[in-house]
PDB file of all heavy atoms in Angstrom:
ATOM      1  N   PRO A 245     -10.541   5.502  -4.644  1.00  0.00           N
ATOM      2  CA  PRO A 245     -11.312   4.626  -3.751  1.00  0.00           C
ATOM      3  C   PRO A 245     -12.800   4.941  -3.690  1.00  0.00           C
ATOM      4  O   PRO A 245     -13.610   4.062  -3.400  1.00  0.00           O
ATOM      5  CB  PRO A 245     -10.635   4.858  -2.393  1.00  0.00           C
ATOM      6  CG  PRO A 245      -9.232   5.250  -2.731  1.00  0.00           C
ATOM      7  CD  PRO A 245      -9.329   6.042  -3.997  1.00  0.00           C
ATOM      8  N   GLN A 246     -13.176   6.159  -3.972  1.00  0.00           N
ATOM      9  CA  GLN A 246     -14.574   6.574  -3.877  1.00  0.00           C
ATOM     10  C   GLN A 246     -15.498   5.796  -4.817  1.00  0.00           C
ATOM     11  O   GLN A 246     -16.713   5.749  -4.600  1.00  0.00           O
ATOM     12  CB  GLN A 246     -14.703   8.077  -4.171  1.00  0.00           C
ATOM     13  CG  GLN A 246     -14.445   8.441  -5.631  1.00  0.00           C
ATOM     14  CD  GLN A 246     -14.474   9.932  -5.886  1.00  0.00           C
ATOM     15  OE1 GLN A 246     -13.484  10.626  -5.646  1.00  0.00           O
ATOM     16  NE2 GLN A 246     -15.598  10.439  -6.362  1.00  0.00           N
ATOM     17  N   PHE A 247     -14.953   5.184  -5.859  1.00  0.00           N
ATOM     18  CA  PHE A 247     -15.787   4.525  -6.864  1.00  0.00           C
ATOM     19  C   PHE A 247     -16.005   3.037  -6.603  1.00  0.00           C
ATOM     20  O   PHE A 247     -16.648   2.360  -7.404  1.00  0.00           O
ATOM     21  CB  PHE A 247     -15.196   4.733  -8.262  1.00  0.00           C
ATOM     22  CG  PHE A 247     -15.358   6.138  -8.773  1.00  0.00           C
ATOM     23  CD1 PHE A 247     -14.276   6.996  -8.839  1.00  0.00           C
ATOM     24  CD2 PHE A 247     -16.604   6.604  -9.156  1.00  0.00           C
ATOM     25  CE1 PHE A 247     -14.434   8.297  -9.291  1.00  0.00           C
ATOM     26  CE2 PHE A 247     -16.773   7.900  -9.611  1.00  0.00           C
ATOM     27  CZ  PHE A 247     -15.683   8.755  -9.677  1.00  0.00           C
ATOM     28  N   PHE A 248     -15.491   2.520  -5.496  1.00  0.00           N
ATOM     29  CA  PHE A 248     -15.722   1.125  -5.173  1.00  0.00           C
ATOM     30  C   PHE A 248     -16.928   1.002  -4.245  1.00  0.00           C
ATOM     31  O   PHE A 248     -17.043   1.744  -3.260  1.00  0.00           O
ATOM     32  CB  PHE A 248     -14.486   0.505  -4.514  1.00  0.00           C
ATOM     33  CG  PHE A 248     -13.345   0.301  -5.470  1.00  0.00           C
ATOM     34  CD1 PHE A 248     -12.277   1.173  -5.492  1.00  0.00           C
ATOM     35  CD2 PHE A 248     -13.361  -0.766  -6.362  1.00  0.00           C
ATOM     36  CE1 PHE A 248     -11.232   0.987  -6.377  1.00  0.00           C
ATOM     37  CE2 PHE A 248     -12.319  -0.958  -7.251  1.00  0.00           C
ATOM     38  CZ  PHE A 248     -11.256  -0.079  -7.265  1.00  0.00           C
ATOM     39  N   LYS A 249     -17.793   0.052  -4.551  1.00  0.00           N
ATOM     40  CA  LYS A 249     -19.015  -0.108  -3.759  1.00  0.00           C
ATOM     41  C   LYS A 249     -18.713  -0.433  -2.301  1.00  0.00           C
ATOM     42  O   LYS A 249     -19.501  -0.112  -1.407  1.00  0.00           O
ATOM     43  CB  LYS A 249     -19.903  -1.189  -4.362  1.00  0.00           C
ATOM     44  CG  LYS A 249     -19.311  -2.590  -4.315  1.00  0.00           C
ATOM     45  CD  LYS A 249     -20.247  -3.621  -4.934  1.00  0.00           C
ATOM     46  CE  LYS A 249     -19.666  -5.028  -4.831  1.00  0.00           C
ATOM     47  NZ  LYS A 249     -20.534  -6.031  -5.474  1.00  0.00           N
ATOM     48  N   GLU A 250     -17.561  -1.073  -2.062  1.00  0.00           N
ATOM     49  CA  GLU A 250     -17.187  -1.420  -0.689  1.00  0.00           C
ATOM     50  C   GLU A 250     -16.944  -0.174   0.172  1.00  0.00           C
ATOM     51  O   GLU A 250     -16.931  -0.254   1.403  1.00  0.00           O
ATOM     52  CB  GLU A 250     -15.930  -2.292  -0.688  1.00  0.00           C
ATOM     53  CG  GLU A 250     -16.144  -3.694  -1.241  1.00  0.00           C
ATOM     54  CD  GLU A 250     -16.046  -3.762  -2.759  1.00  0.00           C
ATOM     55  OE1 GLU A 250     -15.930  -2.698  -3.413  1.00  0.00           O
ATOM     56  OE2 GLU A 250     -16.085  -4.885  -3.307  1.00  0.00           O
ATOM     57  N   ASN A 251     -16.729   0.980  -0.474  1.00  0.00           N
ATOM     58  CA  ASN A 251     -16.476   2.229   0.250  1.00  0.00           C
ATOM     59  C   ASN A 251     -17.700   3.148   0.266  1.00  0.00           C
ATOM     60  O   ASN A 251     -17.574   4.340   0.588  1.00  0.00           O
ATOM     61  CB  ASN A 251     -15.292   2.971  -0.384  1.00  0.00           C
ATOM     62  CG  ASN A 251     -13.996   2.197  -0.260  1.00  0.00           C
ATOM     63  OD1 ASN A 251     -13.774   1.511   0.732  1.00  0.00           O
ATOM     64  ND2 ASN A 251     -13.137   2.291  -1.257  1.00  0.00           N
ATOM     65  N   PHE A 252     -18.863   2.598  -0.053  1.00  0.00           N
ATOM     66  CA  PHE A 252     -20.066   3.427  -0.173  1.00  0.00           C
ATOM     67  C   PHE A 252     -20.349   4.216   1.104  1.00  0.00           C
ATOM     68  O   PHE A 252     -20.668   5.409   1.060  1.00  0.00           O
ATOM     69  CB  PHE A 252     -21.277   2.541  -0.520  1.00  0.00           C
ATOM     70  CG  PHE A 252     -22.579   3.282  -0.545  1.00  0.00           C
ATOM     71  CD1 PHE A 252     -22.921   4.081  -1.627  1.00  0.00           C
ATOM     72  CD2 PHE A 252     -23.469   3.194   0.530  1.00  0.00           C
ATOM     73  CE1 PHE A 252     -24.117   4.780  -1.638  1.00  0.00           C
ATOM     74  CE2 PHE A 252     -24.668   3.886   0.519  1.00  0.00           C
ATOM     75  CZ  PHE A 252     -24.992   4.689  -0.572  1.00  0.00           C
ATOM     76  N   GLU A 253     -20.227   3.558   2.268  1.00  0.00           N
ATOM     77  CA  GLU A 253     -20.517   4.238   3.528  1.00  0.00           C
ATOM     78  C   GLU A 253     -19.558   5.407   3.771  1.00  0.00           C
ATOM     79  O   GLU A 253     -19.947   6.438   4.316  1.00  0.00           O
ATOM     80  CB  GLU A 253     -20.441   3.256   4.697  1.00  0.00           C
ATOM     81  CG  GLU A 253     -21.606   2.276   4.779  1.00  0.00           C
ATOM     82  CD  GLU A 253     -21.369   1.042   3.915  1.00  0.00           C
ATOM     83  OE1 GLU A 253     -20.376   1.026   3.162  1.00  0.00           O
ATOM     84  OE2 GLU A 253     -22.182   0.100   3.999  1.00  0.00           O
ATOM     85  N   MET A 254     -18.306   5.237   3.372  1.00  0.00           N
ATOM     86  CA  MET A 254     -17.326   6.314   3.536  1.00  0.00           C
ATOM     87  C   MET A 254     -17.667   7.491   2.627  1.00  0.00           C
ATOM     88  O   MET A 254     -17.578   8.660   3.037  1.00  0.00           O
ATOM     89  CB  MET A 254     -15.920   5.790   3.232  1.00  0.00           C
ATOM     90  CG  MET A 254     -15.470   4.651   4.128  1.00  0.00           C
ATOM     91  SD  MET A 254     -15.203   5.145   5.850  1.00  0.00           S
ATOM     92  CE  MET A 254     -13.559   5.813   5.751  1.00  0.00           C
ATOM     93  N   VAL A 255     -18.062   7.191   1.398  1.00  0.00           N
ATOM     94  CA  VAL A 255     -18.429   8.248   0.447  1.00  0.00           C
ATOM     95  C   VAL A 255     -19.670   8.996   0.937  1.00  0.00           C
ATOM     96  O   VAL A 255     -19.739  10.232   0.860  1.00  0.00           O
ATOM     97  CB  VAL A 255     -18.664   7.648  -0.952  1.00  0.00           C
ATOM     98  CG1 VAL A 255     -19.161   8.719  -1.922  1.00  0.00           C
ATOM     99  CG2 VAL A 255     -17.380   7.019  -1.495  1.00  0.00           C
ATOM    100  N   GLU A 256     -20.649   8.250   1.449  1.00  0.00           N
ATOM    101  CA  GLU A 256     -21.856   8.879   1.980  1.00  0.00           C
ATOM    102  C   GLU A 256     -21.519   9.775   3.169  1.00  0.00           C
ATOM    103  O   GLU A 256     -22.108  10.848   3.338  1.00  0.00           O
ATOM    104  CB  GLU A 256     -22.859   7.803   2.411  1.00  0.00           C
ATOM    105  CG  GLU A 256     -23.702   7.266   1.284  1.00  0.00           C
ATOM    106  CD  GLU A 256     -24.615   8.340   0.705  1.00  0.00           C
ATOM    107  OE1 GLU A 256     -25.577   8.748   1.393  1.00  0.00           O
ATOM    108  OE2 GLU A 256     -24.359   8.787  -0.436  1.00  0.00           O
ATOM    109  N   MET A 257     -20.577   9.345   3.979  1.00  0.00           N
ATOM    110  CA  MET A 257     -20.164  10.140   5.128  1.00  0.00           C
ATOM    111  C   MET A 257     -19.528  11.457   4.669  1.00  0.00           C
ATOM    112  O   MET A 257     -19.780  12.517   5.256  1.00  0.00           O
ATOM    113  CB  MET A 257     -19.174   9.343   5.984  1.00  0.00           C
ATOM    114  CG  MET A 257     -18.717  10.030   7.245  1.00  0.00           C
ATOM    115  SD  MET A 257     -17.664   8.952   8.218  1.00  0.00           S
ATOM    116  CE  MET A 257     -16.296   8.700   7.062  1.00  0.00           C
ATOM    117  N   VAL A 258     -18.715  11.387   3.624  1.00  0.00           N
ATOM    118  CA  VAL A 258     -18.112  12.601   3.065  1.00  0.00           C
ATOM    119  C   VAL A 258     -19.206  13.543   2.573  1.00  0.00           C
ATOM    120  O   VAL A 258     -19.178  14.755   2.823  1.00  0.00           O
ATOM    121  CB  VAL A 258     -17.140  12.252   1.919  1.00  0.00           C
ATOM    122  CG1 VAL A 258     -16.686  13.526   1.195  1.00  0.00           C
ATOM    123  CG2 VAL A 258     -15.927  11.500   2.448  1.00  0.00           C
ATOM    124  N   ARG A 259     -20.185  12.985   1.873  1.00  0.00           N
ATOM    125  CA  ARG A 259     -21.273  13.806   1.319  1.00  0.00           C
ATOM    126  C   ARG A 259     -22.065  14.514   2.425  1.00  0.00           C
ATOM    127  O   ARG A 259     -22.448  15.678   2.272  1.00  0.00           O
ATOM    128  CB  ARG A 259     -22.203  12.925   0.499  1.00  0.00           C
ATOM    129  CG  ARG A 259     -23.317  13.683  -0.226  1.00  0.00           C
ATOM    130  CD  ARG A 259     -24.215  12.742  -0.997  1.00  0.00           C
ATOM    131  NE  ARG A 259     -24.954  11.836  -0.117  1.00  0.00           N
ATOM    132  CZ  ARG A 259     -26.079  12.185   0.542  1.00  0.00           C
ATOM    133  NH1 ARG A 259     -26.566  13.412   0.435  1.00  0.00           N
ATOM    134  NH2 ARG A 259     -26.688  11.295   1.313  1.00  0.00           N
ATOM    135  N   LYS A 260     -22.276  13.810   3.536  1.00  0.00           N
ATOM    136  CA  LYS A 260     -23.088  14.372   4.616  1.00  0.00           C
ATOM    137  C   LYS A 260     -22.303  15.337   5.513  1.00  0.00           C
ATOM    138  O   LYS A 260     -22.879  16.296   6.050  1.00  0.00           O
ATOM    139  CB  LYS A 260     -23.652  13.237   5.485  1.00  0.00           C
ATOM    140  CG  LYS A 260     -24.684  12.380   4.777  1.00  0.00           C
ATOM    141  CD  LYS A 260     -25.127  11.213   5.659  1.00  0.00           C
ATOM    142  CE  LYS A 260     -26.142  10.325   4.949  1.00  0.00           C
ATOM    143  NZ  LYS A 260     -26.537   9.158   5.782  1.00  0.00           N
ATOM    144  N   LYS A 261     -21.016  15.083   5.689  1.00  0.00           N
ATOM    145  CA  LYS A 261     -20.257  15.836   6.685  1.00  0.00           C
ATOM    146  C   LYS A 261     -19.439  16.996   6.109  1.00  0.00           C
ATOM    147  O   LYS A 261     -19.067  17.907   6.847  1.00  0.00           O
ATOM    148  CB  LYS A 261     -19.308  14.904   7.448  1.00  0.00           C
ATOM    149  CG  LYS A 261     -19.979  13.715   8.130  1.00  0.00           C
ATOM    150  CD  LYS A 261     -21.062  14.121   9.106  1.00  0.00           C
ATOM    151  CE  LYS A 261     -20.528  14.880  10.299  1.00  0.00           C
ATOM    152  NZ  LYS A 261     -21.580  15.161  11.300  1.00  0.00           N
TER     153      LYS A 261
END
Side-chain angles (χ1 to χ4, degrees):
Q246 70 184 82
F247 288 107
F248 288 102
K249 66 180 182 182
E250 290 84 354
N251 296 326
F252 175 78
E253 287 86 353
M254 300 292 277
V255 175
E256 277 295 290
M257 183 176 62
V258 171
R259 185 181 65 81
K260 292 176 181 178
K261 304 303 294 185

